[in-house]
C-alpha cells in the first residue's frame, strides 16, 4: 500500500473507532460511507486481521482493532500537537506568563512594558513578581512560561537566554568612606538577596582568602541596600544605572573594589521546548541588550 494511502486509511480507521459508526465517520471526514467501509476493508486485508465486528448499535473494535486504535489515537494526537506548535511558532498572540524578581521587575521588565505592548498589541504578558527562589519553583511546576533571573549555576536542565550584562560597583556614603579606617572592627558590606550570584562569589572569595575584616549583611531588596549605605552603615554593591542621581548629588560615592566580582548576566529562563513559542522569542528579542532603569 502506498504511504499516502496508508495514512489516509489509518485516519479513516481512527475516526470510525472514535465514532463507532461508518455513517458518522463519513460525515466527520466529509467523504462517502462506501469510501469509509472500503478503506477499513483494505486496511484489514493489509494487516490480515478483523478490526471491527458489526453489532446492532454500530461497529465494535476487536481485540486487534483496540490495540491498533491505541497507537493511531496517540499518533494523530501528536500530529495535532505538532500543527498547533507550528501555528504558535509564528503567531505572536495570546498570554505569556513571565516571572521576575522584584529588582528585575522594577528596573527592567516594567519600564519596557509600555513600548512592548505597543509593538505587540495581541500578546498579553502576565507578570508574576516573586523572589528568584520562588520563581524557580513555579517554573519547575510549569506555572510560569519563563522567569527573568540571574544566570543560574550549571547543572540545570533549563534554557537560559542572556539579555543583558551589568557591571556593578562598590559604594559608600561620603561620611562612612572618611571614617571606615578608624576602627578595627569588621565593617558591613550590604548585598541584596536579589543578586544571589554576587553573594555567592563574595562568600567563596572570603572562604578562600580567610578574610574577616568585612561582614556580609544580606538585605531583602537593592533599594534597602541603598538606604543602609546612605545612612553610613557600611559598604554596598549595586549597579551604576540605579544610583546615578545619588552619585550626582554625592549622597553615594563609588569606592575601590573590595572584591573582583564578575559582571552579572540577566536573562530569560524556560524549558527548552517552550522557547519555540513566538511570544517568548518576542520578549527575549525586545529586552536583549537593554539596560536597567
Amino acid at each position: 500500500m502506498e504511504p499516502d494511502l496508508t495514512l489516509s486509511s489509518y485516519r479513516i480507521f481512527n475516526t470510525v473507532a472514535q465514532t463507532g459508526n461508518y455513517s458518522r465517520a463519513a460525515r466527520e471526514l466529509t467523504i462517502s460511507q462506501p469510501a469509509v467501509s472500503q478503506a477499513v476493508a483494505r486496511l484489514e486485508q493489509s494487516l490480515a486481521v478483523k478490526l471491527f465486528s458489526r453489532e446492532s448499535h454500530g461497529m465494535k473494535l476487536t481485540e486487534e482493532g483496540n490495540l491498533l486504535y491505541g497507537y493511531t489515537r496517540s499518533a494523530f494526537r501528536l500530529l495535532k500537537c505538532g500543527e498547533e506548535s507550528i501555528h504558535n511558532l509564528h503567531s505572536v498572540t495570546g498570554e505569556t506568563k513571565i516571572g521576575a524578581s522584584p529588582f528585575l521587575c522594577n528596573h527592567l521588565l516594567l519600564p519596557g512594558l509600555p513600548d512592548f505592548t505597543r509593538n505587540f498589541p495581541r500578546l498579553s504578558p502576565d507578570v508574576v513578581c516573586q523572589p528568584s527562589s520562588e520563581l524557580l519553583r513555579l517554573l519547575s511546576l510549569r506555572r510560569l512560561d519563563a522567569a527573568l533571573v540571574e544566570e543560574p549555576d550549571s547543572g540545570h536542565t533549563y534554557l537560559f537566554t542572556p539579555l543583558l550584562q551589568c557591571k556593578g560597583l562598590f559604594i559608600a556614603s561620603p561620611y562612612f568612606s572618611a571614617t571606615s579606617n578608624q576602627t578595627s572592627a569588621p565593617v558591613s558590606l550590604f548585598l541584596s538577596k536579589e543578586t544571589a550570584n554576587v553573594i555567592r562569589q563574595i562568600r567563596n572569595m572570603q572562604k578562600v582568602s580567610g578574610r574577616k575584616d568585612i561582614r556580609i549583611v544580606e538585605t531583602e531588596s537593592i533599594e534597602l541596600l541603598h538606604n543602609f549605605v546612605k545612612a553610613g552603615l557600611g559598604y554596598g554593591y549595586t549597579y551604576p544605572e540605579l544610583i546615578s542621581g545619588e552619585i550626582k548629588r554625592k549622597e553615594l560615592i563609588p569606592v575601590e573594589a573590595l572584591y573582583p566580582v564578575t559582571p552579572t548576566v540577566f536573562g530569560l529562563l524556560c524549558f527548552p521546548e517552550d522557547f519555540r513559542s513566538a511570544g517568548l522569542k518576542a520578549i527575549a528579542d525586545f529586552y536583549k541588550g537593554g539596560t536597567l532603569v
Side-chain angles (χ1 to χ4, degrees), residues 159-229:
L159 173 69
F160 179 76
T161 304
L163 300 183
L164 70 156
Q165 179 174 281
C166 299
K167 184 173 178 59
L169 77 165
F170 291 90
I171 57 171
S173 75
Y175 168 77
F176 179 79
S177 180
T179 61
S180 59
N181 294 325
Q182 297 179 11
T183 175
S184 58
V187 297
S188 296
L189 170 59
F190 294 96
L191 302 174
S192 170
K193 291 180 181 179
E194 295 179 308
T195 54
N197 284 342
V198 174
I199 295 175
R200 191 159 37 247
Q201 286 184 61
I202 293 178
R203 286 199 183 280
N204 287 339
M205 284 184 276
Q206 283 190 332
K207 186 176 180 180
V208 171
S209 66
R211 187 172 178 178
K212 297 181 179 179
D213 59 324
I214 293 180
R215 176 179 63 250
I216 293 176
V217 180
E218 297 183 19
T219 67
E220 292 298 325
S221 70
I222 205 156
E223 284 80 8
L224 187 59
L225 177 157
H226 295 162
N227 291 335
F228 280 131
V229 176

